[in-house]
Amino acid sequence: MTILPLRRKMSETRKGFVQLHLSVLLAGFTGLFGRLITLNEVDIVWYRMLFTSAILLVFTGLPRVGWRKFLQLSGCGALLGFHWILFYGSIKASNVSIGVICFSLIGFFTALFEPLLFKRRLSGWELLFSLITVAGVLCIFSLDARYRYGIMIGVVSSAVCALYAICNKKASVGVRSRTVLMYQMSGGLVAMSAIIPVYLLFFPSQQPVVVVPEGSNLWFMLCHALFCTVGMYLLQIQALKRLSAFTVNLTYNLEPCYTIILAFIIFGEGREINFSFYVGIALILLSVLLQTRRAWRK
């Protein structure tokens, strides 16, 4: 009687890992779109949420959820939108490689925030794996002083994203993945409409704001919304139902590896890289492999 539930749990864990790594692969293209789309970061986020909400509305309609659940999902959407603004702002202020490397700190912030929010003890192993990631990021930070402003924005972005993933795990319980994403995107769109003017007061834009996308920007935005938002987050939400928020967030440290390889090929960013960069990448990969091995054995 105990073998069947165990096998079922292992099967669900395997499925969660497959969904997780597919979502990370799609996430690897997010930073590239941030560079390819020439709009301001606030425009990118606003239109990304608008197009995603429209796509989901066609496929899911407006499923009924309670007001409390709707507010929880909308709050998660606001955190996600704010993370996106900072993430794209980091890329605009530095480059694609630096922007996505800062995202690797999400595992570190999750190891700190998750025990506080769920009222459990800090995990020594999680902190250890996260510190390996931090060491990798510090190696990469020595790349060039020109990128410090973009790095600072990227660090805050990863902290906000860690909060989003933790809150999303709790808010999405008992709700279909498509419904979760629908109300997060629509609620986040409303929240971003209010947050963006305040954001621009503190971080004035060097580019025109409120620009209607057209030409290549329009096509890039539509692809971004369909594949790197709808597809990626549906897979991520499903993975969060089978795996811990820490495992999901730490595995997302692989996203920079996919993005950096593509950035090297498309934008030629490899010319700006030194030896410490590769040491940092190796440490980040080590932390992901160790956590994946521990989660699988557990």
Side-chain angles (χ1 to χ4, degrees), residues 19-282:
Q19 292 167 334
L20 173 58
H21 283 278
L22 284 174
S23 70
V24 175
L25 181 61
L26 288 174
F29 289 89
T30 302
L32 299 180
F33 280 114
R35 175 78 177 270
L36 290 170
I37 299 169
T38 59
L39 303 181
N40 180 275
E41 65 264 27
V42 296
D43 286 321
I44 294 176
V45 173
W46 197 85
Y47 281 112
R48 184 180 183 181
M49 288 191 150
L50 176 65
F51 291 158
T52 303
S53 299
I55 292 169
L56 288 167
L57 183 63
V58 172
F59 290 102
T60 65
L62 290 172
R64 291 186 178 181
V65 295
W67 275 106
R68 184 176 180 180
K69 182 64 71 174
F70 171 76
L71 291 175
Q72 289 176 343
L73 295 175
S74 297
C76 289
L79 284 173
L80 179 60
F82 190 47
H83 154 65
W84 281 346
I85 288 177
L86 294 172
F87 175 69
Y88 293 125
S90 176
I91 290 175
K92 301 287 186 183
S94 53
N95 60 33
V96 175
S97 300
I98 295 297
V100 295
I101 281 295
C102 293
F103 185 74
S104 300
L105 288 171
I106 188 174
F108 171 73
F109 287 114
T110 305
L112 295 178
F113 296 160
E114 192 172 24
L116 293 175
L117 294 176
F118 289 125
K119 297 180 180 179
R120 64 172 177 83
R121 293 179 60 186
L122 286 168
S123 169
W125 285 110
E126 290 183 1
L127 285 174
L128 176 62
F129 296 149
S130 299
L131 288 174
I132 294 174
T133 301
V134 172
V137 174
L138 288 175
C139 286
I140 294 165
F141 279 7
S142 65
L143 179 65
D144 197 321
R146 294 175 299 168
Y147 301 131
R148 286 179 181 172
Y149 180 65
I151 287 169
M152 288 189 293
I153 299 174
V155 170
V156 178
S157 170
S158 66
V160 175
C161 190
L163 283 175
Y164 160 74
I166 295 168
C167 296
N168 185 38
K169 182 175 177 64
K170 187 175 183 179
S172 63
V173 173
V175 185
R176 294 181 64 188
S177 300
R178 285 181 295 179
T179 304
V180 169
L181 193 57
M182 170 65 197
Y183 287 115
Q184 284 185 358
M185 291 297 108
S186 56
L189 179 64
V190 174
M192 287 303 99
S193 299
I195 290 173
I196 285 173
V198 179
Y199 173 84
L200 291 174
L201 286 176
F202 291 95
F203 303 98
S205 174
Q206 302 299 318
Q207 297 175 266
V209 182
V210 191
V211 176
V212 178
E214 57 184 16
S216 60
N217 278 334
L218 177 60
W219 288 110
F220 286 146
M221 285 299 307
L222 289 172
C223 291
H224 196 194
L226 182 60
F227 297 108
C228 297
T229 309
V230 177
M232 183 189 75
Y233 281 99
L234 285 178
L235 288 167
Q236 185 190 103
I237 290 167
Q238 291 168 357
L240 277 167
K241 293 180 179 180
R242 297 179 171 92
L243 304 169
S244 72
F246 176 77
T247 298
V248 170
N249 284 346
L250 190 67
T251 305
Y252 261 80
N253 290 342
L254 288 172
E255 176 188 339
C257 300
Y258 298 131
T259 307
I260 288 168
I261 291 171
L262 292 169
F264 282 9
I265 297 171
I266 298 174
F267 302 123
E269 292 187 359
R271 294 189 298 269
E272 305 171 22
I273 302 307
N274 57 24
F275 178 72
S276 64
F277 183 92
Y278 295 104
V279 173
I281 287 290

